[in-house]
């Protein structure tokens, strides 16, 4: 993957519905180049798919947060599997540094979020955690 591929992916992350023509203009290449690059990135599994986030996704679970988790020993895989099975957990990320996992959580209300956090903190192997509520979200804008 070269710099153009990386720039194309960054543009798609900003706007996954951008027309090929708009992508070509932003990247300074032809539409044919964008089409060929997209096809190759999909064929080589660099791009695994596209997703849509709707107003309903946020409205259905208006309370969202990120939970940073420190785990004890080698229980990471087991804890990740348990977290992935919780309907309120929308993503689990392994990371480095002070925290071992970052968990994205969605809930209908603050009391429901509090209950989810309690269940996660009670999982065997979870040693410490910190949670941040997501107050608002914005997509990165294109630099063009």
């Amino acid at each position: 993957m070269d710099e153009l591929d990386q720039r194309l992916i960054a543009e798609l992350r900003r706007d996954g519905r951008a027309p090929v023509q708009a992508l070509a203009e932003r990247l300074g290449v032809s539409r044919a180049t964008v089409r060929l690059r997209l096809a190759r990135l999909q064929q080589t599994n660099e791009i695994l798919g596209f997703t849509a986030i709707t107003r309903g996704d946020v409205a259905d679970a208006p309370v969202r947060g990120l939970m940073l988790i420190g785990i004890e020993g080698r229980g990471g895989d087991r804890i990740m599997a348990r977290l992935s099975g919780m309907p309120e957990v929308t993503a689990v990320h392994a990371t480095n540094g002070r925290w071992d996992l970052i968990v994205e959580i969605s809930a209908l209300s603050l009391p429901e979020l509090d209950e989810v956090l309690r269940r996660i903190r009670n999982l065997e192997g979870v040693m410490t955690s910190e949670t941040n509520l997501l107050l608002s979200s914005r997509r990165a804008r294109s630099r063009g």
Side-chain angles (χ1 to χ4, degrees):
M1 210 169 43
D2 65 13
E3 180 192 353
L4 181 57
D5 291 333
Q6 292 172 355
R7 289 176 43 221
L8 175 57
I9 289 171
E11 290 296 332
L12 289 169
R13 284 185 174 139
R14 287 183 189 91
D15 182 2
R17 293 180 43 177
V20 171
Q21 177 63 38
L23 292 169
E25 288 171 6
R26 290 181 203 153
L27 297 171
V29 298
S30 70
R31 290 184 313 227
T33 298
V34 170
R35 279 193 207 99
L36 287 171
R37 294 287 181 128
L38 279 172
R40 186 174 45 80
L41 289 168
Q42 288 175 303
Q43 189 175 36
T44 59
N45 290 327
E46 289 295 331
I47 294 178
L48 298 176
F50 296 88
T51 187
I53 301 170
T54 67
R55 276 184 296 204
D57 293 334
V58 175
D60 290 343
V63 180
R64 297 172 299 133
L66 297 176
M67 185 177 198
L68 310 165
I69 298 175
I71 58 175
E72 173 184 46
R74 298 182 179 202
D77 291 338
R78 180 183 45 77
I79 292 171
M80 286 180 82
R82 294 282 305 273
L83 293 169
S84 296
M86 295 179 160
E88 302 87 357
V89 172
T90 57
V92 179
H93 309 277
T95 185
N96 67 334
R98 178 176 176 205
W99 303 104
D100 299 302
L101 301 174
I102 298 175
V103 182
E104 295 179 40
I105 303 169
S106 295
L108 294 173
S109 65
L110 286 173
E112 181 181 308
L113 179 69
D114 189 42
E115 174 59 23
V116 173
L117 298 177
R118 186 194 62 73
R119 288 191 345 246
I120 292 171
R121 286 183 191 118
N122 285 332
L123 291 175
E124 185 179 335
V126 171
M127 295 304 297
T128 186
S129 69
E130 178 181 314
T131 303
N132 296 285
L133 292 179
L134 299 176
L135 302 176
S136 66
S137 299
R138 294 189 186 116
R139 294 184 65 78
R141 293 187 183 183
S142 123
R143 291 179 243 154

